[in-house]
Amino acid sequence: MHGPPIALPETFARAVAGLRSVTPRAEIVLEEVGAPQRLAPYAFALSAAVLRDEDEVATGRLILLHDPAGHEAWHGTLRLVTYVTAELEVDLASDPLLPGVGWTWLTDALDAQDARYLAIGGTVTQTLSTRFGELAGPPTAGDIEIRASWTPLGVDLAPHLLGWCALLASTAGLPPPGVTALSSRRPAGAA
């Protein structure tokens, strides 16, 4: 026998509805996943895979946290937390300017969607990996990881999700929507 349905706080329910209302660009596949339960009384999470020519080139997770009592460090009752990672070409992954560029991808993406926020913070990590011994294989590989959190202003989180999807696209190296990368186009008459 099931008990009565648990009523969600209106703020949290509206925030989740805003996240669910977004349809991302075709290369980004979103899926609702289990959210961590110890970070806040209410949580909701999405995972994303960015596909280019059927290959997964970036992944991410966006978690919505809600504490009706508020949280001093958040400066509010809602908090968005993200983790995004992508493989990069070695020359890009070793660029000393990459962390600043990665952070700008996030803030510019949110600003472009008018996703207003405060108390934003995070890290950008760049790594180079070379395989040896039994793991010998592909040449040196590079990765970028962006971890961040921010407090959205308002409960309509659709602009925040659209900004997050733009971050995923930038991290994956996708061209802007409606633009075809020159490397993927064939000249007329080419086989």
Side-chain angles (χ1 to χ4, degrees), residues 7 63 85 147:
I63 302 166
T85 186
R147 295 176 185 263

Side-chain angles (χ1 to χ4, degrees), residues 19-71:
L19 293 174
R20 286 179 171 155
S21 73
V22 171
T23 301
R25 60 189 285 179
E27 301 93 336
I28 299 174
V29 178
L30 296 179
E31 179 182 355
E32 291 183 23
V33 294
Q37 297 301 308
R38 293 185 301 260
L39 300 176
Y42 301 93
F44 175 82
L46 294 169
S47 70
V50 183
L51 305 174
R52 185 173 45 218
D53 300 326
E54 311 229 0
D55 292 327
E56 188 175 278
V57 293
T59 59
R61 182 166 288 205
L62 184 68
I63 302 166
L64 167 65
L65 303 174
H66 177 56
D67 186 340
H71 196 287

Side-chain angles (χ1 to χ4, degrees), residues 82-168:
T82 188
Y83 169 77
V84 172
T85 186
E87 284 188 32
L88 298 175
E89 294 177 16
V90 172
D91 58 338
L92 183 57
S94 62
D95 188 326
L97 300 177
L98 180 63
V101 170
W103 188 254
T104 300
W105 288 337
L106 170 62
T107 57
D108 285 357
L110 292 172
D111 293 345
Q113 294 296 327
D114 197 27
R116 297 182 23 238
Y117 57 86
L118 52 83
I120 191 167
T123 62
V124 177
T125 305
Q126 63 193 105
T127 59
L128 292 175
S129 301
T130 305
R131 299 173 192 265
F132 296 97
E134 294 294 316
L135 294 177
T140 301
D143 292 295
I144 184 173
E145 294 178 357
I146 301 170
R147 295 176 185 263
S149 63
W150 64 94
T151 298
L153 297 176
V155 295
D156 179 7
L157 299 190
H160 293 269
L161 184 54
L162 289 168
W164 184 66
C165 286
L167 166 67
L168 285 161

